[in-house]
Amino acid sequence: MRILIVDDHPIVASGCRTVFADDPEITLLEAADAESGERAFVAEKPDLCVIDINLPTVSGFELARRILTHDATARLIMFSMNDDPAFAARAIDIGAKGYVSKTGDPNDLVEAVREVGNGGVYLPPAIARNVAFARPGFAQNPLSKLTSREMEILRLLSSGKSLSEIAWLVHSSYKTVANTSSIMRQKLGVRTSAELVRLAIESGVA
């Protein structure tokens, strides 16, 4: 099995190599950001991808969206320091087959790779329980009205990026990003971009 690890932390990448070092059937490929991760996926066609959510430019969620655009059957595991069930639920909603917290048991990643690699799905038991019980509350969160692309643009806005910078990062036009920002303001009931950013920060957008 060929696994693409997309993570910008050398220690994490090294840890992944150590975890799978004794398995001769696994070959690891590595990338450090969404752009190199997307190129590696297209060129190498790995069997499975493990993607960090907090990448340096666009998020792992955006990379997942791009990969699934290339191949709707791609097997993706989202990897994060955050064990918030909202993040796990979002990963599932965009099409990931697994979600693993970096703060959890290292064996969770091994189990996730085994399950997802065999065509299944995987959530650590504690996260699965939290997602199941928290789901009713997600619908009450105003950000639940936003699409994955809208969430990515909102995240970049909240990090201080301009509309022009965001257009370049998400491979879109300035006009499309500006229109998306307007649609988000309407959905969330705010009038200005500043209010939009404030809502994003208060909601802990990744």
Side-chain angles (χ1 to χ4, degrees):
M1 184 188 300
R2 300 167 74 246
I3 302 173
L4 172 62
I5 307 286
V6 187
D7 197 302
D8 65 318
H9 296 95
I11 293 176
V12 173
S14 176
C16 288
R17 287 195 295 272
T18 299
V19 167
F20 296 108
D22 295 331
D23 192 332
E25 296 183 356
I26 288 181
T27 300
L28 294 185
L29 310 168
E30 297 178 20
D33 56 36
E35 287 70 27
S36 59
E38 183 179 8
R39 289 195 299 270
F41 179 82
V42 172
E44 302 291 344
K45 295 180 171 57
D47 301 297
L48 187 151
C49 302
V50 177
I51 303 173
D52 182 25
I53 290 177
N54 294 308
L55 295 174
T57 51
V58 296
S59 74
F61 288 126
E62 170 67 9
L63 174 57
R65 188 194 66 78
R66 294 180 188 179
I67 286 176
L68 290 167
T69 298
H70 288 293
D71 180 1
T73 66
R75 297 172 180 177
L76 311 180
I77 297 170
M78 304 307 292
F79 199 33
S80 174
M81 288 295 292
N82 199 321
D83 58 4
D84 187 328
F87 283 79
R90 187 175 166 206
I92 294 166
D93 289 342
I94 66 172
K97 301 300 183 184
Y99 184 96
V100 176
S101 171
K102 294 179 183 180
T103 60
D105 188 330
N107 288 325
D108 287 344
L109 180 59
V110 176
E111 187 66 21
V113 165
R114 182 181 300 113
E115 289 291 333
V116 176
N118 287 328
V121 297
Y122 182 82
L123 286 177
I127 292 180
R129 285 194 300 272
N130 288 338
V131 168
F133 285 104
R135 275 250 182 216
F138 297 156
Q140 298 173 10
N141 186 327
L143 298 185
S144 66
K145 302 174 183 176
L146 303 184
T147 66
S148 177
R149 171 48 69 93
E150 289 168 346
M151 283 291 291
E152 184 64 22
I153 291 174
L154 182 59
R155 186 190 72 84
L156 292 168
L157 278 172
S158 68
S159 70
K161 297 289 191 296
S162 69
L163 294 181
S164 297
E165 290 173 314
I166 293 171
W168 182 80
L169 286 168
V170 302
H171 303 170
S172 190
S173 69
Y174 175 91
K175 182 178 180 181
T176 297
V177 172
N179 287 342
T180 300
S181 178
S182 176
I183 290 169
M184 285 192 293
R185 290 198 300 273
Q186 292 174 18
K187 283 185 176 182
L188 299 174
V190 298
R191 292 176 298 174
T192 67
S193 293
E195 290 176 348
L196 192 62
V197 169
R198 187 183 311 115
L199 177 60
I201 293 171
E202 290 173 352
S203 300
V205 172

